[in-house]
Amino acid sequence: MTDWQAFLSERGAIWRDGELDRFEPQSGSDAQACIAPLLRTEILQCEGDGAVKLLQGQLTCDVSALSEQACSLGACCTPKGRMVANFRLFRTGTGFRFHLPDGQGRQLQDALSRYLPFYKCELTGVTDWRGIGCWGADAPAVLREAGFHVPDAINQVCASDEGFIARVHGVQPRFEIWLPGNAAGALWDRLQPAARANGTQAWALEDIRAGLGWITPELSEALVPQMLNLQHLDAISFKKGCYTGQEIVARMQYRGTLKKATLRYACADPDAGAPPGTAVCAALGESAIGEVVQSAGDGAHLELLAVVRLAEAAHERLHLGAPDGPALTRLELPYSLNTD
């Protein structure tokens, strides 16, 4: 158990199968604000004089336009336009930081490392920072009370004395706060009396409701960015110029017809297994029409994002795992999905 996990356990964290399940006893239960430790995030740092030039030629987002007062979603693609990984990118005083799901750091590092000899920069892992997610109608007020300048706009970043806070996509106000380990613990103790503490599933569920999917090892190099709806999340610049995979991504945007996209579903069975890559099937079909990107539950039901073939998803009854598996009910996304 890490120091951070031990700290959380002292504050009531209950672990199940190695994952933070919930907190007991619960505080802040009447507040319209929630907090959760961001335990599933891996951080890579790219520093050096050549970092901008390297990343501008490899990522879907406009790296050169990124300031320290903003962050951006983005992806790194193969020459065939398939995503190796997607991430949230921050600019720091000395370079850039990638925040991405656990297990994807090595994938991204391998993809970028082949170009490092041609640029004056280094790519390393960061292990001494901790993240706290905060969301809900009262989240801005709770964070101001804790001493933060709170970002007003999505992807805006405000620095604090020790770290930074970013507003991220969500159906309600949602923020990530990143601090060194000791400072993160002190912040948790300031926030926990005023906000309801949650496990990792609660933050993942907010990602799903925001229509924000993450590439995991199971789906690495399987999807083009538009299949994950990244064009609707400001994660692709169509004006920045060339980058690896750009020709395929641009052709899909301007000349192609998108046959697959990420849709949001609910499953009434809260115990249904839906890890990334789980098949999504039509009731009368013999083969899968898509696969799960990610799923999370609240104890009563399961929600998920799945990349599916749009033609069949529009007309068929869909099921999880097999044609006779648990039924899926389509839910709305928070953005318009234009697939023409």
Side-chain angles (χ1 to χ4, degrees):
M1 180 174 287
T2 67
D3 291 344
W4 184 227
Q5 289 172 318
F7 170 88
L8 295 171
S9 295
E10 291 173 359
R11 271 64 179 175
I14 306 297
W15 306 85
R16 184 172 66 177
D17 299 327
E19 182 173 289
L20 176 50
D21 184 54
R22 65 190 187 279
F23 281 83
E24 292 183 354
Q26 190 55 256
S27 64
S29 58
D30 295 329
Q32 295 297 308
C34 298
I35 54 173
L38 305 181
L39 300 176
R40 296 176 173 178
T41 303
E42 193 170 347
I43 303 175
L44 288 181
Q45 185 165 278
C46 186
E47 295 183 302
D49 294 341
V52 173
K53 191 172 183 180
L54 165 66
L55 300 181
Q56 185 74 346
Q58 297 303 320
L59 309 182
T60 60
C61 53
D62 192 346
V63 177
S64 64
L66 193 64
S67 72
E68 291 184 53
Q69 290 73 49
C71 60
S72 177
L73 295 171
C76 177
C77 298
T78 68
K80 294 183 179 181
R82 303 281 169 162
M83 289 182 290
V84 174
N86 67 318
F87 44 78
R88 183 170 284 114
L89 186 69
F90 296 87
R91 190 160 196 163
T92 69
T94 56
F96 298 86
R97 282 189 173 181
F98 297 88
H99 291 207
L100 67 169
D102 271 343
Q104 284 301 99
R106 173 55 59 186
Q107 305 272 17
L108 181 60
Q109 197 159 20
D110 288 346
L112 294 177
S113 291
R114 69 192 67 174
Y115 303 101
L116 286 176
F118 306 103
Y119 299 89
K120 294 181 179 179
C121 56
E122 294 183 349
L123 191 62
T124 57
V126 176
T127 59
D128 57 345
W129 279 59
R130 304 286 180 260
I132 298 173
C134 183
W135 69 99
D138 294 336
V142 167
L143 291 170
R144 290 189 187 98
E145 184 67 24
F148 285 96
H149 295 291
V150 178
D152 295 320
I154 302 298
N155 289 335
Q156 184 181 354
V157 177
C158 293
S160 70
D161 291 339
E162 296 173 301
F164 58 89
I165 176 173
R167 184 158 184 172
V168 300
H169 293 82
V171 294
Q172 53 190 329
R174 197 160 75 113
F175 305 88
E176 290 189 2
I177 308 104
W178 290 92
L179 301 161
N182 291 339
L187 175 62
W188 184 270
D189 284 341
R190 296 204 305 275
L191 293 176
Q192 192 168 13
R196 183 179 179 86
N198 289 265
T200 54
Q201 287 277 303
W203 183 258
L205 193 57
E206 292 301 313
D207 273 341
I208 290 169
R209 290 171 177 171
L212 174 54
W214 298 100
I215 295 294
T216 53
E218 295 85 353
L219 296 175
S220 186
E221 301 190 26
L223 307 173
V224 298
Q226 288 96 329
M227 292 179 184
L228 203 60
N229 303 349
L230 293 191
Q231 73 276 30
H232 301 295
L233 295 163
D234 300 319
I236 308 172
S237 171
F238 295 102
K239 299 179 180 179
K240 62 173 277 187
C242 294
Y243 56 87
T244 298
Q246 180 264 343
E247 183 179 355
I248 305 299
V249 176
R251 185 184 303 143
M252 176 66 72
Q253 189 71 15
Y254 296 117
R255 297 183 181 179
T257 299
L258 189 62
K259 296 181 180 180
K260 282 187 174 184
T262 296
L263 302 181
R264 177 175 163 235
Y265 294 95
C267 177
D269 182 358
D271 298 318
T278 300
V280 173
C281 301
L284 302 177
E286 297 182 357
S287 61
I289 69 161
E291 55 273 322
V292 172
V293 175
Q294 64 196 74
S295 64
D298 60 6
H301 73 297
L302 187 75
E303 290 189 22
L304 58 92
L305 295 175
V307 176
V308 296
R309 294 202 295 266
L310 294 170
E312 287 140 300
H315 304 291
E316 302 281 357
R317 289 175 293 138
L318 301 186
H319 295 260
L320 184 63
D324 60 351
L328 296 176
T329 301
R330 184 168 172 182
L331 303 175
E332 293 295 321
L333 288 165
Y335 44 77
S336 176
L337 197 63
N338 182 1
T339 59
D340 294 335

